[in-house]
Amino acid sequence: MCRVVDLRQAVLAKNDEAAQVLRTELTARGTTVVNLLSSPGSGKTALLERELLLARQRGVPVAALTADLATENDALRLARSGVPVKQVLTDGLCHLEAAMLGRHLDGWLPGDTRLLFVENVGNLVCPAGYDLGESLRVVLASVTEGEDKPLKYPTAFGLAQLVVVTKTDIAEAVEFDEAAFRANVEQVNPGVEVVLTSARAGEGLGVLLDRALAAGSGEGTHTPVMAGRQHAHGHGHSHGHDHDHDHDHEHDHEHEHAHDHDHDEDHDHQHPHLHTVAQTR
C-alpha cells in the first residue's frame, strides 16, 4: 500500500515550529514582530516609512527588515527614517520563512528593539501560509486593486489580524467602493479591523504603530476564524493569481548609504544574499 505524504504540510509544520521558537525568543527580549503582506505596488513601503519616522519621533525603538526578489530600493527608502533597516534579497524565493528570518536577525537586530516590522515579499499567495513568529499580521491593499481582492485571496485576508487600505487620497478618482470592500473582508475574516490610510495625505497615520504597540503589550488581537481551521486541518492553500500592476511612484533617488555584504546559505531553498543598509540610529 502506498502512503501519500503532503510535502507542503510537512514544510509548513517545520516552519511553524521555527516560528514559535522565534516568537518565544523575541518576546522574551521584548521585541514584537509585525508581518506586512501585500501585492506589489500597494504602497506599503511608503506607509511603513511614515510609521517608522513617527515611531522614532515618539521614542519607540523600532527596526525594519524588507524582503524582495531583487533591488535594494525599499530598504533605501525606509532607511531615510533613521531607524535600523536590513534588506534581504531572496533570489527568486517568493516569501520569507521563520528560520530564514531568524538567521537574518541574528547579530543584527538591536537589543532594545521594541517593534520589528517585516515587509514581506510583494505577493498575496506564497507568504500567506508562513508564520514568521509575528504577533501581528497585517494585510494591505490599495484602493486601485479592486474591492474583490479579499475574495480572490481568501487565505491572505482570512488570516489577517488587521487590514489596511492604502492610497485613499485617490479613492474617489478610481471609484473605490469602500462598503463593498469592507463587506468582502468581513466575508472571509469576520470581525477584523479595517483601517483607511494615505501616506501622502497623512490619513490614518499612526494607527499601524498603535496596533503594533498594543499587540506587543499583550492587548488582545483579532483571532481569525480561518486560523482555527488551519490548526485543525492543516494549512490552507490559496490559488489566486495577482495581476495588478499598480506601482508606488514616491521615489527619492538621493541616497547616501554603505553596504555590508554577507551570504546566508538557505539549504531548504536557494541562497539569499543579505544586504545591510547602514545608517545612524
Side-chain angles (χ1 to χ4, degrees):
M1 183 176 67
C2 295
R3 180 181 180 186
V4 178
V5 178
D6 189 332
L7 295 180
R8 176 176 169 81
Q9 288 195 15
V11 169
L12 290 173
K14 180 180 178 181
N15 180 82
D16 284 349
E17 293 177 3
Q20 187 54 49
V21 170
L22 184 60
R23 181 181 294 107
T24 299
E25 292 177 349
L26 290 175
T27 299
R29 58 181 277 178
T31 301
T32 298
V33 176
V34 181
N35 187 5
L36 304 176
L37 293 82
S38 80
S39 302
S42 68
K44 68 178 178 295
T45 304
L47 179 63
L48 181 55
E49 182 183 355
R50 296 290 302 273
E51 296 286 339
L52 294 175
L53 181 59
L54 181 60
R56 187 181 180 195
Q57 293 171 346
R58 290 185 182 179
V60 179
V62 296
L65 181 145
T66 181
D68 276 305
L69 275 67
T71 84
E72 301 174 357
N73 295 346
D74 288 350
L76 293 172
R77 294 174 61 190
L78 295 178
R80 296 184 304 198
S81 66
V83 309
V85 173
K86 173 171 281 190
Q87 176 79 59
V88 174
L89 300 184
T90 65
D91 284 352
L93 190 63
C94 63
H95 60 275
L96 286 173
E97 298 181 6
M100 184 191 307
L101 177 61
R103 288 194 297 272
H104 293 326
L105 298 182
D106 187 27
W108 168 73
L109 188 67
D112 65 342
T113 303
R114 187 171 175 188
L115 296 177
L116 170 64
F117 288 93
V118 177
E119 186 178 13
N120 219 315
V121 178
N123 188 323
L124 285 177
V125 181
C126 300
Y130 288 86
D131 182 0
L132 297 183
E134 70 263 22
S135 295
L136 183 65
R137 175 176 290 211
V138 183
V139 173
L140 303 90
S142 73
V143 298
T144 62
E145 295 178 63
E147 295 80 8
D148 61 346
K149 203 76 169 184
L151 303 182
K152 290 182 176 180
Y153 299 92
T155 301
F157 282 88
L159 291 174
Q161 293 169 294
L162 177 68
V163 174
V164 174
V165 178
T166 61
K167 305 185 182 182
T168 56
D169 54 301
I170 60 171
E172 184 176 354
V174 299
E175 299 182 345
F176 175 68
D177 189 336
E178 180 187 340
F181 180 83
R182 288 182 178 274
N184 291 334
V185 170
E186 184 68 16
Q187 183 174 330
V188 299
N189 194 345
V192 70
E193 181 181 12
V194 177
V195 176
L196 304 181
T197 68
S198 168
R200 180 174 298 170
E203 179 182 3
L205 187 62
V207 176
L208 177 57
L209 177 60
D210 290 340
R211 298 297 182 272
L213 289 170
S217 65
E219 295 185 25
T221 56
H222 172 70
T223 302
V225 174
M226 185 177 289
R229 292 203 297 267
Q230 281 202 320
H231 285 300
H233 304 292
H235 292 267
H237 299 266
S238 178
H239 301 286
H241 300 282
D242 189 353
H243 299 291
D244 291 329
H245 299 286
D246 173 45
H247 298 283
D248 192 337
H249 296 291
E250 300 175 39
H251 296 290
D252 185 343
H253 298 290
E254 297 181 3
H255 302 292
E256 295 182 7
H257 58 279
H259 301 286
D260 294 327
H261 298 281
D262 188 16
H263 300 279
D264 176 31
E265 295 189 355
D266 186 343
H267 299 286
D268 293 329
H269 297 283
Q270 301 181 35
H271 305 293
H273 300 291
L274 188 64
H275 297 262
T276 301
V277 177
Q279 75 289 312
T280 57
R281 295 188 62 193

